[in-house]
Amino acid sequence: MKHLILVYSLHGSTLKTAEKIAQGIREGGSSVDIFKITSGELPSLKPYDVILFGMPVYYFAVPIVMEKFIATLPRLHEKRVYAFFTYGTYHFQASDHLRRILRKKDAEVEGWFYSRGADFYYHYNTRGILPSAGHPDERELSDATEFGRNIAKRTNLADYPMKSTPPKVMYRAEMLLTNKFMVTTIFQHLFHLDRKKCIRCGLCVKSCPTQNIERDANRYPMWDSKCTMCLKCEGCCPVEAITSVAGWKFLSPIVDANVKAILKDKNIDTQRIVYHHGKMQDNVKK
């Protein structure tokens, strides 16, 4: 059996998980390739018997970049399909979201895997926390390898490894505000650049996973229409010259409420940090 892992990873946690799953597949006696979906032209899917989709949970859902990528794929009705997620706080119904997306390609997911991954969401970090710091840890990576072995052995993995917790009211509000329609039609056009602060270093251009940022004639960044609201550009700016809609004051109560909930949740390994000018400094454990 030949396996292909299609992975989207922004900060490395999901890719690390993918590599461990691939290790398990090889240990189970099968071949496997890993393809990062933002790295170029996708190879033909015809030689592959099994397709795995791996991604982080964004705003409690499938990342827009992965949803758009899947839309470009041919029908998958002749493939066995598996999926895995990394998440920093809560995954809620991300798996149900992915299931709906894949059914449009005539695919049913046969098995799922979840692992925590450090949450580098900019507006959590600037409030002094790094949820799921140090994840995926050794146990989670070992579980990922076992997941890969079971796929190679065709073990029944149809059951969810954990229940999907229904979101509270504040999370429902955030999910509504960050849905695909809001991001693609409104939010991606509302980035503000403070030209008095901007030093035109180009870090935001280099950091964008969808190549959505270009430079104008004066070498200032400008945003196109492929934004996924990952906010990596805002987070990496060394002079804090970029502001997204997520930084608007009317959304602050939602983010503040999330931070309080995260700090109270004993299931989340949250680290206290100092985040300044695009970098984390002086990490202090919770």
Side-chain angles (χ1 to χ4, degrees):
M1 300 287 284
K2 195 167 183 179
H3 300 65
L4 176 64
I5 299 177
L6 301 173
V7 62
Y8 173 59
S9 183
L10 191 58
H11 296 284
S13 295
T14 312
L15 181 59
K16 186 183 293 185
T17 302
E19 290 168 345
K20 286 297 182 179
I21 292 172
Q23 176 184 325
I25 290 172
R26 294 187 185 103
E27 290 175 1
S30 294
S31 64
V32 60
D33 295 320
I34 297 176
F35 178 78
K36 292 183 283 187
I37 67 169
T38 57
S39 65
E41 186 176 351
L42 175 69
S44 172
L45 300 185
K46 288 184 179 180
Y48 297 98
D49 307 291
V50 183
I51 308 294
L52 291 84
F53 293 91
M55 69 211 75
V57 174
Y58 270 18
Y59 302 104
F60 316 119
V62 173
I64 292 174
V65 65
M66 178 59 84
E67 184 173 359
K68 289 182 176 180
F69 172 79
I70 292 173
T72 68
L73 298 179
R75 291 176 64 207
L76 300 171
H77 60 293
E78 296 180 345
K79 309 292 184 183
R80 291 172 53 214
V81 175
Y82 296 87
F84 58 97
F85 289 98
T86 56
Y87 66 103
T89 55
Y90 308 102
H91 59 85
F92 292 140
Q93 282 93 25
S95 48
D96 295 327
H97 184 201
L98 180 61
R99 177 180 278 150
R100 292 194 300 271
I101 293 169
L102 287 172
R103 279 178 175 168
K104 294 178 182 178
K105 296 295 178 179
D106 300 318
E108 287 290 341
V109 179
E110 296 184 23
W112 306 83
F113 180 77
Y114 298 85
S115 171
R116 288 199 178 275
D119 193 335
F120 293 97
Y121 179 60
Y122 176 67
H123 291 283
Y124 288 164
N125 300 159
T126 54
R127 283 166 170 79
I129 65 168
L130 177 62
S132 295
H135 290 266
D137 58 21
E138 290 186 11
R139 180 189 60 79
E140 289 162 329
L141 293 174
S142 176
D143 289 346
T145 304
E146 183 63 22
F147 179 69
R149 290 194 201 99
N150 287 333
I151 289 174
K153 295 174 184 176
R154 302 196 68 167
T155 303
N156 183 5
L157 300 170
D159 293 335
Y160 284 65
M162 62 181 72
K163 291 183 179 179
S164 181
T165 307
K168 297 178 181 178
V169 173
M170 65 178 178
Y171 294 122
R172 290 184 186 275
E174 184 173 345
M175 292 165 75
L176 178 64
L177 288 169
T178 55
N179 65 45
K180 182 181 176 182
F181 174 81
M182 295 293 287
V183 170
T184 57
T185 61
I186 301 175
F187 293 162
Q188 68 178 6
H189 304 294
L190 296 177
F191 280 91
H192 172 71
L193 177 71
D194 187 335
R195 293 197 171 204
K196 292 181 180 179
K197 287 184 177 180
C198 180
I199 58 175
R200 294 178 279 188
C201 63
L203 284 177
C204 56
V205 178
K206 295 175 183 177
S207 73
C208 182
T210 59
Q211 293 79 50
N212 185 55
I213 307 173
E214 297 180 355
R215 297 195 195 214
D216 65 14
N218 295 313
R219 300 185 64 76
Y220 286 107
M222 57 182 185
W223 284 258
D224 199 356
S225 58
K226 297 179 290 185
C227 179
T228 64
M229 289 297 288
C230 72
L231 306 186
K232 198 169 183 182
C233 57
E234 188 177 11
C236 77
C237 181
V239 292
E240 299 177 358
I242 299 169
T243 305
S244 70
V245 67
W248 290 9
K249 288 184 179 180
F250 85 94
L251 288 176
S252 289
I254 294 177
V255 181
D256 291 340
N258 287 354
V259 170
K260 288 181 181 179
I262 291 166
L263 289 171
K264 289 180 181 179
D265 194 329
K266 295 181 180 179
N267 293 315
I268 303 175
D269 294 324
T270 301
Q271 197 172 52
R272 292 285 193 175
I273 63 170
V274 175
Y275 193 94
H276 188 58
H277 292 312
K279 293 183 179 180
M280 291 187 191
Q281 304 168 354
D282 302 324
N283 288 0
V284 180
K285 285 194 175 181
K286 178 181 172 184

